[in-house]
Amino acid sequence: VQASVLALALVAGFGPLVGLATHGVERFCPFGGIEALWSVITRQSFVCALGPYNLGLMLALLGLTLLARKAFCAWACPVGTLLEGLARLGGWLRRTGAPGASGHVPGLLAPPRRLDRGLRWLRLPVLVGVLAATAGTGELLFRAFDPYYVLFSAHGHEVRWWSYLVLGVVLTGSLVVPLAWCRYLCPLGGALWPAARAGWLRIARRAETCTGCANCDVACPHGLEVSRAPSVTSGECTLCLECTRACVATGSLRVVPFGLERLRVPAWGLSALLVLATLGGLVLADAMAWASYTREYGSPSPGGQVRTLDLEVEGVRCVDTARRAAEQLAQVPGALKLTAFAADHRLLVEYDAGLTTPQALVKALEAPVWNERSGEFRFNLFHVTRREP
Ligand code: SF4
Ligand code: SF4
């Protein structure tokens, strides 16, 4: 499952460079759904480059987390997958495999528990800061720091040289302390914590067969104490199954639903939950086709025929670029209304067929754009890649 999601993230991010995909990685990030919430609730529109996929996947993730804690982090998040690889590398470098604890991901250092718990609270100010900045500016200011965007956007337009520096710090930190980014800084992990704490599925320990060897504690990449309690109820558990793999008393640790401890959920059951949640998110997204930006230019002439031109436009990627596209069309007599779906690079243009034509609208859109800041025309800012009719 992890390999498939990682491959999809690479195709979504780097595909546009070789004509394999037309949409970037942002539209599939569930954290974008949380960032979009404020503008969706207050204006029924999406902020910056976000769209219905972000919101649909975020709602699906919430449902998944209420069922299976932070399974998304261990089973799907492509950043989590890479950092898990680094933690394994750190564990290999440290060469401290406890007997029988094959495949565990302990990293180079295990921080003291009190420090670890304290540092986890850092996710809260990060989350509040990102949401406040997004609601206040309407821009995704976090993108330049976000390991997901920096890694998979193929040098996206917000990425700066220092973004790679920040990424380097995140990667090095996660080599030293396993999943350091996920544990201490990831705002999505922080936002999911309350739902994960209430999660229905959990790791249960059978005290009769447990030998008390504590291999499970060593193996847990989130530093949880599995060997002491009858079950793991922490909001940090990702159901990654590292503890069950490390357990020397086969069957002592298993995934069970709360209240139905006799039932055991197999690994394929967790994979199936993930696939179902993703499909559910995509279905939800289809039902939430709110626009990112709309502008009305005027009314049709008496007896005029109102038609709609459906365009996919390279260059329309956020609210700001949609606004510029609207400026281009404002010069066309007969243009009536523009509705932009920035995440899909899509514009719907209503026009008076008696006053203008689709060709004239496309020509106006693709014309050089005046940039007030630089005092120069910018060529090829917008390029129509699909047109109906
Ligand atoms: S308790 Fe087990 S399943 Fe949960 S995060 Fe730790 S190792 Fe993974
Ligand atoms: S649950 Fe398994 S790994 Fe953990 S202490 Fe008991 S026997 Fe050891």
Side-chain angles (χ1 to χ4, degrees), residues 26 78-79 101 134 170 215 227 232 238 245 263 274 287 296 299 315 340:
E26 291 153 301
V79 176
T134 308
V170 165
N215 275 358
S227 65
V232 179
T238 58
R245 289 176 67 201
L263 291 181
L274 244 123
E296 295 195 15
S299 316

Side-chain angles (χ1 to χ4, degrees), residues 69-154:
R69 299 179 183 268
K70 287 189 184 164
F72 167 82
C73 306
W75 289 73
C77 176
V79 176
T81 300
L82 290 178
L83 299 191
E84 190 186 310
L86 279 176
R88 282 182 197 282
L89 177 64
W92 178 76
L93 290 173
R94 194 168 69 155
R95 294 179 188 280
T96 58
S102 59
H104 62 252
V105 287
L108 273 171
L109 277 181
R113 274 189 205 286
R114 285 185 71 175
L115 176 68
D116 181 56
R117 283 207 195 108
L119 288 174
R120 287 179 195 272
W121 285 98
L122 283 175
R123 290 174 300 185
L124 193 60
V126 174
L127 174 66
V128 172
V130 172
L131 296 186
T134 308
T137 64
E139 294 294 329
L140 301 175
L141 300 180
F142 176 54
R143 269 189 299 201
F145 304 91
D146 180 1
Y148 173 68
Y149 187 73
V150 179
L151 275 166
F152 297 105
S153 68

Side-chain angles (χ1 to χ4, degrees), residues 205 209-217 226-227 243 246-249 252-253:
R205 188 175 59 90
T209 48
C210 172
T211 64
C213 67
N215 275 358
C216 44
D217 299 345
V226 188
S227 65
C243 54
C247 180
V248 288
S252 270
L253 293 177

